[in-house]
Amino acid sequence: MEVNATSVSFPSSIVTAAVMATDVMSGLVSQIVAGANIWTVVWTIFLSAVIYDQYRYISQKGSIAGPPFKLPFMGPFLQSVDPQFHEYQAKWNSGSLSCVSVFHKFVVIASTRDMARKIFNAPAFVKPCVVDAAHKLLRPANWVFLDGRAHVDYRKGLNGLFTRQALELYLPGQEEVYEKYFEAFVGITKRNGGKAVPFMPNFRELMCAVSCRTFVGNYLPEETVKKIANDYYHITAALELVNFPVILPFTRTWYGKKCADMVLEEFTECAAKSKIRMRAGGKIECIMDAWIKNMIVSEEYRKKHGIEGLQEEKPDILIRWFSDIEISMTIFTFLFASQDASSSACTWLFQLIADRPGVLDKVREENLNIRGGDRNKPLTMDMMDKMIYTRAVVKETLRYRPPVLMVPYVAKKDFPVTEHYTIPKGSMVVPATYPSLHDPEAYPNPETYDPDRWITGDAEQQSKNWLVFGTGPHYCIGQTYATLNLMALVGNASMKLKWKHHITPRSEEIKIFATIFPKDNCLLSFEERD
């Protein structure tokens, strides 16, 4: 694959920097010998550090696209604090591989489909890292930071929480949350005299409430769910791609850490409550219940038969007993993975189909048909299997406005990613998803929102480009849940609500806040359907 080169020659730049450093050091020695004052020495040392920082960046950059020089030490930190979508696009368009260097972190961006897939599918060379602050917020022992066999084994014990049978158990709780928030949306519009208001914050609260209900059931009181939803902004801000590398008081990472600690404490208490309830024979109502039930079944099997016991009684997956804090950390990663991405998808979904009444009419018609004309009929998985058009609408929303633009990994060792370039060990490696999902060869007229491409077109055959949930050993474990959640949400909304979008010049502009949102925060008004 061709790799763009910059106008700066890699070998000559290194030689130039080395010569400059040698000259500076020679001058430093001469000045010291001549009795130079302390400020001269300090400035000379500072200049030497700047030259070394530049030399290191140029040597790491090699032949790939990127700025020819780095702003000393901090790099493009100030631009990264307020990222702009057009700047991301410029990076993707600059080459299949490009780079930046912020503070101590060298970042390599993989833009093309094949290069992104190569990163996703290279567990021998890379592992997920999220961002520098993630270990502090999610805790270093969190399963998402496991690698190799340890990660595979841990993941096996979680796969059963997202089967078809398990997902159907969570549906009643999800619909209960939808109903409550639909009433709230109508009330918000009434209180504002029928005028459209920015609904992005309300969608974030809704999706947080749905996630909490699905993950930890009714163990969390409603006021705690609201507190988590409100405070989660701090976690999002702390886990953006670029942040100040040290947690200092009153910084974004400091506020994020305080919120993360609060959520972990609440989930730990939920785990203790679930263990008591599941041991007493309680009904499974959430993911935490299902996981703990599997632990109990595995524990009982081992006590009765041992590891090599009767095969006909052996659970599908034998898992170990997890502590309350281990359960809490894992459930927190589910919330982390779902909250921002689902909030983004939900916001765009309601906006996009409001702007296309014909699409919303088809969603309503399909959902009414599968319910046999009873718009209050609870959903089942069999009913959702028949939501062909609704599924296409959700998938097109995820393609057109993919919530996750890039997925951060770290190079475990030097990674010869092409014939001409090796990613240095310790670099952040970031495969991009957006370019693959807007590839005109895979998705004709990619800037057009067209759900029919998933029904009458060949979009379903473009599996290599479908990187919404990643690929490889660390692909999103909850991708089926996420898709079905959005389908159930918009299907229920189409039965109960009417909504209008107030279009502004910034409605289609993309704001980046970890994931992506409309820059005007999606101005909507809601009313009940007759």
Side-chain angles (χ1 to χ4, degrees):
M1 179 173 296
E2 182 181 351
V3 179
N4 288 355
T6 68
S7 59
V8 178
S9 170
F10 172 46
S12 64
S13 298
I14 295 176
V15 172
T16 300
V19 170
M20 291 174 65
T22 301
D23 289 345
V24 169
M25 294 308 295
S26 297
L28 173 60
V29 172
S30 299
Q31 289 180 352
I32 292 174
V33 171
N37 66 50
I38 187 63
W39 288 111
T40 302
V41 173
V42 169
W43 279 108
T44 304
I45 292 174
F46 174 76
L47 182 59
S48 298
V50 169
I51 292 172
Y52 174 74
D53 185 54
Q54 204 67 240
Y55 164 78
R56 189 165 181 268
Y57 165 69
I58 294 171
S59 63
Q60 290 176 316
K61 175 181 175 296
S63 60
I64 65 175
F69 298 102
K70 173 188 176 184
L71 186 66
F73 308 121
M74 66 188 299
F77 172 69
L78 295 179
Q79 299 97 302
S80 303
V81 170
D82 182 24
Q84 300 297 314
F85 182 72
H86 69 271
E87 293 174 352
Y88 276 54
Q89 284 186 307
K91 272 291 177 192
W92 299 329
N93 294 334
S94 67
S96 59
L97 291 173
S98 60
C99 69
V100 295
S101 182
V102 182
F103 289 114
H104 66 293
K105 184 64 66 177
F106 183 69
V107 183
V108 178
I109 301 165
S111 301
T112 62
R113 179 198 71 183
D114 292 338
M115 191 61 73
R117 290 183 66 86
K118 189 168 188 176
I119 305 299
F120 279 126
N121 289 289
F125 290 99
V126 300
K127 64 178 181 179
C129 69
V130 193
V131 293
D132 284 349
H135 284 77
K136 299 180 179 70
L137 270 66
L138 301 179
R139 304 290 176 87
N142 201 300
W143 79 283
V144 295
F145 302 123
L146 294 177
D147 197 24
R149 187 68 193 175
H151 173 263
V152 172
D153 289 343
Y154 203 114
R155 192 181 179 103
K156 280 182 180 178
L158 301 175
N159 285 335
L161 307 178
F162 296 95
T163 63
R164 178 186 175 87
Q165 182 180 9
L167 292 175
E168 188 156 40
L169 293 175
Y170 316 142
L171 268 176
Q174 290 168 227
E175 290 195 290
E176 180 183 311
V177 175
Y178 302 154
E179 187 73 25
K180 181 171 63 178
Y181 275 86
F182 291 165
E183 292 179 9
F185 291 174
V186 172
I188 290 169
T189 302
K190 287 180 178 178
R191 287 193 297 274
N192 284 275
K195 295 180 181 178
V197 297
F199 256 86
M200 186 269 273
N202 303 100
F203 287 139
R204 284 183 64 93
E205 183 181 327
L206 161 63
M207 298 315 288
C208 184
V210 172
S211 293
C212 286
R213 182 68 176 82
T214 304
F215 301 156
V216 299
N218 287 314
Y219 298 119
L220 279 180
E222 186 174 335
E223 58 270 20
T224 303
V225 173
K226 284 185 175 292
K227 178 173 175 53
I228 292 174
N230 290 333
D231 289 357
Y232 202 92
Y233 274 96
H234 295 307
I235 297 177
T236 302
L239 293 175
E240 286 189 293
L241 188 59
V242 175
N243 255 319
F244 194 74
V246 180
I247 295 182
L248 297 176
F250 311 112
T251 61
R252 294 194 298 181
T253 48
W254 184 79
Y255 284 113
K257 177 70 163 58
K258 287 175 65 68
C259 181
D261 289 347
M262 178 271 291
V263 176
L264 284 167
E265 183 178 344
E266 293 290 346
F267 284 176
T268 300
E269 292 180 9
C270 291
K273 294 175 184 177
S274 178
K275 284 179 178 178
I276 294 172
R277 185 168 167 272
M278 287 299 99
R279 283 195 182 280
K283 179 183 176 183
I284 294 173
E285 294 181 345
C286 62
I287 282 177
M288 184 177 281
D289 285 346
W291 193 21
I292 289 174
K293 181 66 174 179
N294 290 345
M295 294 178 206
I296 293 171
V297 170
S298 296
E299 183 183 48
E300 291 175 345
Y301 175 83
R302 287 193 185 93
K303 287 180 178 178
K304 185 176 180 181
H305 299 297
I307 299 297
E308 303 299 331
L310 299 176
Q311 293 301 307
E312 62 269 21
E313 296 181 12
K314 192 172 184 179
D316 292 336
I317 296 291
L318 272 175
I319 61 176
R320 67 176 175 85
W321 188 257
F322 292 85
S323 68
D324 294 348
I325 186 60
E326 285 179 310
I327 296 169
S328 174
M329 288 191 296
T330 301
I331 298 298
F332 186 26
T333 61
F334 293 165
L335 181 62
F336 164 67
S338 66
Q339 173 59 17
D340 291 309
S342 64
S343 298
S344 168
C346 172
T347 303
W348 287 108
L349 181 58
F350 274 82
Q351 173 172 308
L352 289 167
I353 65 176
D355 292 342
R356 296 159 178 83
V359 171
L360 181 52
D361 286 344
K362 288 183 180 180
V363 169
R364 280 201 176 105
E365 181 181 3
E366 179 175 76
N367 276 266
L368 192 60
N369 286 339
I370 66 168
R371 289 169 169 81
D374 179 3
R375 63 185 186 184
N376 295 310
K377 188 174 183 179
L379 279 175
T380 65
M381 290 298 290
D382 287 341
M383 291 164 65
M384 295 194 73
D385 288 341
K386 300 173 183 176
M387 294 166 63
I388 306 301
Y389 188 76
T390 306
R391 181 185 297 273
V393 166
V394 168
K395 294 199 71 171
E396 180 65 354
T397 300
L398 295 173
R399 182 206 67 82
Y400 182 68
R401 289 291 182 262
V404 180
L405 299 178
M406 297 184 289
V407 184
Y409 284 75
V410 65
K412 299 188 289 186
K413 57 185 177 181
D414 288 350
F415 183 4
V417 69
T418 73
E419 182 182 350
H420 306 289
Y421 184 70
T422 296
I423 299 173
K425 177 182 177 180
S427 303
M428 184 180 286
V429 190
V430 188
T433 62
Y434 190 95
S436 299
L437 295 161
H438 286 254
D439 180 354
E441 293 187 11
Y443 307 107
N445 302 313
E447 301 307 321
T448 300
Y449 181 83
D450 179 17
D452 286 326
R453 73 172 78 239
W454 298 95
I455 300 172
T456 58
D458 66 349
E460 287 287 0
Q461 281 70 58
Q462 308 304 323
S463 56
K464 285 189 174 182
N465 285 72
W466 183 249
L467 298 180
V468 171
F469 299 101
T471 187
H474 291 276
Y475 76 91
C476 177
I477 194 172
Q479 60 178 306
T480 301
Y481 159 72
T483 302
L484 292 176
N485 180 23
L486 292 168
M487 289 168 58
L489 171 62
V490 75
N492 273 278
S494 72
M495 295 292 91
K496 308 292 177 62
L497 300 172
K498 295 187 288 185
W499 66 95
K500 294 180 181 179
H501 176 226
H502 176 68
I503 301 174
T504 74
R506 290 156 57 91
S507 294
E508 282 292 323
E509 292 184 24
I510 293 174
K511 174 176 70 175
I512 299 174
F513 182 54
T515 50
I516 63 173
F517 296 93
K519 274 199 171 179
D520 63 3
N521 287 335
C522 188
L523 277 72
L524 296 174
S525 61
F526 286 87
E527 59 181 294
E528 293 179 6
R529 285 194 68 205
D530 298 329

